[in-house]
Amino acid sequence: MGKMAAAVSPVAILATEPGEDAFRKLFRFYRQSRPGTADLGGVIDFSAAHGGRSTGPGAQKVVRSQLSVSSVSEQDAHRAGLKPVSKWQAYGLKGYPGFIFIPNPFLPGYQWHWVKQCLKLYSQKPNVCNLDKHMTKEEPRDLWEQSKEFLRYKEVNKRRPRSLLEKLRWVTLGYHYNWDSKKYSADHYTPFPSDLAFLSEQVAAACGFQGFRAEAGILNYYRLDSTLGIHVDRSELDHSRPLLSFSFGQSAIFLLGGLKRDEAPTAMFMHSGDIMVMSGSSRLLNHAVPRVLPNPEGEGLPHCLETPLPAVLPHGAVVEPCSSEDWQVCASYLRTARVNMTVRQVLATGQDFPLEPVEEQKRDVTPDFCHLDDQNSHVKRARLNLDS
């Protein structure tokens, strides 16, 4: 076995470059980290009981979280493709009240549905995406149909241009987020997907948030060279309701910091199927994704995605069948990508949006840039961090 490359510890990084805040230092450190070295030794891995795979100081922060098992029936959990809540593992972090991490609670095969929805259904009109400004009114808007043959034969011709799906960076659902004003509005809304709303309601209830309403969603589509800059999600008008995050595909490093960027963040892995819930005091903390990690076994899928969706689905399931042809396209995409769904409740019960000036209402809601940054892009893009 070859000699392991020397690595610099996050502690040493924090002692350098005094003019830069602690979060930015560690963001840069993990963005440039080398898998297979000690660079990732301090990253918490919740998929091992009590974060047992991490030997760094972060592992000592891990605590068990209690879930509201009786709030979600086994039938409703199954309808959403989830294991019974009694079978879930849930963790928190000392110093981060309201943060809950649930390692992959999905039943075997059921992630297929959510991946397919993100790529085939949620990317379509009337939902809004970063590609809208690059497409004329005459062009068809079915990104799936335009991309599936490219992706299906991707391994045959790796030098071909990227398909439209591979150029997709974000999609908004429900109340569509305005990247310019960093606000939601009543007049820019399309129906929120009922299956994703049901999934979100079950997860929120299991975490103690009965009556959660899924009103807005932001889907991020990451390539291996993508990052998500440091930001705070504060645009929702009701911060007492949680933010739910669902990850699928390749793993990534997530950084959770404090109210200010001079507080050093805690690093953790997000694997396919993992769910994060940010609520309470953790709802308005700085966070970021500095790195998507390539599969150590090459361009393969995480093992949890190798099991197909069952042919017979439970009565009343919100999950739909996934054909082998559709999954072939999804699998080809995910070999070098990950997808993240964040779901939010925008308004408190009985609350309305404040009236906006006419000038504000006329602003364009889909500027020609997005908040995901590709490190190797040859075109310099403005980076937009969510709400920061």
Side-chain angles (χ1 to χ4, degrees):
M1 183 179 293
K3 183 181 293 186
M4 178 178 287
V8 180
S9 72
V11 175
I13 289 294
L14 290 174
T16 64
E17 304 174 29
E20 193 172 28
D21 64 72
F23 202 128
R24 178 61 61 185
K25 289 178 185 178
L26 289 183
F27 182 94
R28 291 179 59 190
F29 170 76
Y30 283 113
R31 184 180 65 191
Q32 300 165 3
S33 61
R34 294 158 293 174
T37 73
D39 285 353
L40 305 184
V43 182
I44 296 172
D45 193 338
F46 288 101
S47 62
H50 300 282
R53 293 183 189 172
S54 174
T55 57
Q60 300 173 6
K61 298 181 181 180
V62 177
V63 295
R64 292 296 295 265
S65 289
Q66 296 298 316
L67 296 173
S68 181
V69 175
S70 62
S71 296
V72 180
S73 68
E74 290 193 16
Q75 180 183 12
D76 282 343
H78 197 182
R79 289 176 61 201
L82 298 165
K83 300 174 185 174
V85 177
S86 60
K87 303 290 185 182
W88 299 7
Q89 301 294 321
Y91 301 97
L93 292 171
K94 296 177 182 177
Y96 297 93
F99 175 75
I100 304 172
F101 195 106
I102 305 169
N104 187 14
F106 289 93
L107 290 163
Y110 280 81
Q111 289 187 52
W112 281 28
H113 169 82
W114 301 107
V115 171
K116 183 192 70 173
Q117 296 297 82
C118 289
L119 295 178
K120 185 175 182 178
L121 183 65
Y122 300 157
S123 63
Q124 311 302 340
K125 288 295 158 193
N127 300 326
V128 179
C129 76
N130 65 291
L131 297 179
D132 289 342
K133 277 206 153 186
H134 302 280
M135 304 177 74
T136 66
K137 292 182 179 179
E138 291 73 29
E139 287 183 284
R141 299 298 182 97
D142 194 332
L143 305 185
W144 176 266
E145 287 299 322
Q146 290 184 336
S147 305
K148 65 181 184 181
E149 294 305 316
F150 286 94
L151 286 166
R152 189 170 290 155
Y153 300 107
K154 179 178 180 180
E155 295 181 2
V156 177
N157 183 11
K158 291 188 176 182
R159 294 186 178 183
R160 60 160 180 75
R162 284 184 174 179
S163 64
L164 288 178
L165 273 178
E166 291 171 294
K167 295 177 181 178
L168 188 62
R169 290 295 173 267
W170 55 262
V171 168
T172 55
L173 311 171
Y175 288 115
H176 297 285
Y177 185 73
N178 185 318
W179 302 100
D180 279 343
S181 66
K182 300 180 181 178
K183 295 179 180 180
Y184 301 95
S185 63
D187 60 354
H188 197 55
Y189 174 85
T190 55
F192 194 92
S194 59
D195 56 347
L196 182 54
F198 185 80
L199 170 69
S200 302
E201 290 161 6
Q202 308 318 306
V203 172
C207 294
F209 295 95
Q210 296 282 1
F212 174 83
R213 299 194 311 272
E215 296 178 327
I218 298 179
L219 278 53
N220 288 325
Y221 299 78
Y222 294 77
R223 310 304 301 171
L224 292 179
D225 57 359
S226 299
T227 65
L228 178 63
I230 307 166
H231 68 279
V232 176
D233 295 288
R234 60 167 63 93
S235 293
E236 295 73 33
L237 301 185
D238 181 12
H239 295 151
S240 69
R241 311 304 282 171
L243 183 149
L244 311 180
S245 171
F246 304 86
S247 292
F248 304 106
Q250 300 300 324
S251 299
I253 297 173
F254 179 78
L255 299 180
L256 181 62
L259 294 172
K260 298 180 179 180
R261 295 191 183 185
D262 58 3
E263 299 179 53
T266 298
M268 62 199 81
F269 290 113
M270 292 187 296
H271 300 305
S272 191
D274 289 350
I275 299 174
M276 289 192 309
V277 178
M278 296 176 68
S279 66
S281 300
S282 295
R283 178 65 175 77
L284 297 175
L285 297 182
N286 284 286
H287 53 281
V289 178
R291 184 73 190 271
V292 179
L293 298 168
N295 193 310
E297 301 174 3
E299 289 192 2
L301 293 178
H303 293 308
C304 62
L305 292 175
E306 294 175 351
T307 303
L309 185 67
V312 179
L313 300 174
H315 177 71
V318 299
V319 177
E320 299 174 348
C322 179
S323 69
S324 58
E325 293 80 9
D326 281 356
W327 183 248
Q328 183 182 2
V329 176
C330 294
S332 176
Y333 177 90
L334 286 185
R335 288 190 182 97
T336 55
R338 72 179 288 262
V339 179
N340 177 257
M341 309 186 300
T342 57
V343 179
R344 309 111 188 279
Q345 178 172 328
V346 176
L347 299 167
T349 302
Q351 186 178 24
D352 293 319
F353 287 100
L355 294 176
E356 297 287 351
V358 174
E359 294 79 9
E360 181 73 28
Q361 295 177 20
K362 291 182 179 179
R363 297 186 69 170
D364 192 350
V365 298
T366 53
D368 191 16
F369 53 81
C370 67
H371 63 280
L372 278 179
D373 180 52
D374 291 338
Q375 297 176 34
N376 298 326
S377 173
H378 297 293
V379 180
K380 188 174 182 180
R381 296 192 183 102
R383 174 185 291 178
L384 177 65
N385 294 326
L386 284 157
D387 310 341
S388 59

